[in-house]
Amino acid sequence: QVQLVESGGGSVQTGGSLRLSCVASGRTFSSYAMGWYRQAPGKERKFVAVINKSGGDTYYADSVKGQFTISRDNVKNTVYLQMNNLKPEDTAIYYCAQFYSETYYSGVQYWGQGTQVTVSS
């Protein structure tokens, strides 16, 4: 079965950086779009960024444009989220997502367990 395992979360101060990683297994990684979502305390899970199967097309939530970068390594079956200039409002559990197909229009099919990111002022 498909497994998505995130890592790289932690606690940082405002202005710091973190890189999240998500290793996928269970099916051909390079055939599927991947993404990141986040859920802040008491709020709904929200979209952060997505990347198509080849890595040539990305899309970001307005709130993270220019601050976060999504990328993927289809040899390592890994998707990354580089987060720079972190702010307290970026505090959330970050979830890796794998979509139904090669594009993100297909919707999320699988979720990781999440990794906590905490940004203190």
Side-chain angles (χ1 to χ4, degrees):
Q1 73 277 19
V2 172
Q3 284 193 315
L4 305 175
V5 180
E6 301 103 331
S7 62
S11 297
V12 295
Q13 293 188 328
T14 297
S17 298
L18 285 173
R19 187 175 82 154
L20 305 184
S21 300
C22 170
V23 179
S25 61
R27 62 182 185 179
T28 306
F29 178 75
S30 59
S31 295
Y32 298 92
M34 299 293 297
W36 290 94
Y37 288 70
R38 66 185 180 185
Q39 186 167 17
K43 296 189 176 181
E44 295 182 349
R45 191 174 301 186
K46 292 186 177 180
F47 161 76
V48 174
V50 293
I51 188 166
N52 71 340
K53 68 173 185 175
S54 68
D57 188 23
T58 58
Y59 183 69
Y60 297 90
D62 287 343
S63 57
V64 305
K65 279 181 184 175
Q67 183 188 3
F68 290 4
T69 303
I70 189 171
S71 61
R72 67 188 294 160
D73 184 333
N74 286 345
V75 174
K76 295 182 178 180
N77 290 352
T78 302
V79 61
Y80 304 97
L81 186 68
Q82 177 67 45
M83 307 185 294
N84 297 327
N85 191 26
L86 285 161
K87 310 165 189 174
E89 52 264 41
D90 296 316
T91 294
I93 299 173
Y94 284 72
Y95 295 92
C96 176
Q98 188 173 72
F99 289 73
Y100 276 94
S101 75
E102 60 187 19
T103 71
Y104 37 82
Y105 300 110
S106 59
V108 176
Q109 186 172 10
Y110 295 104
W111 295 97
Q113 82 286 353
T115 186
Q116 177 71 48
V117 171
T118 303
V119 185
S120 58
S121 57

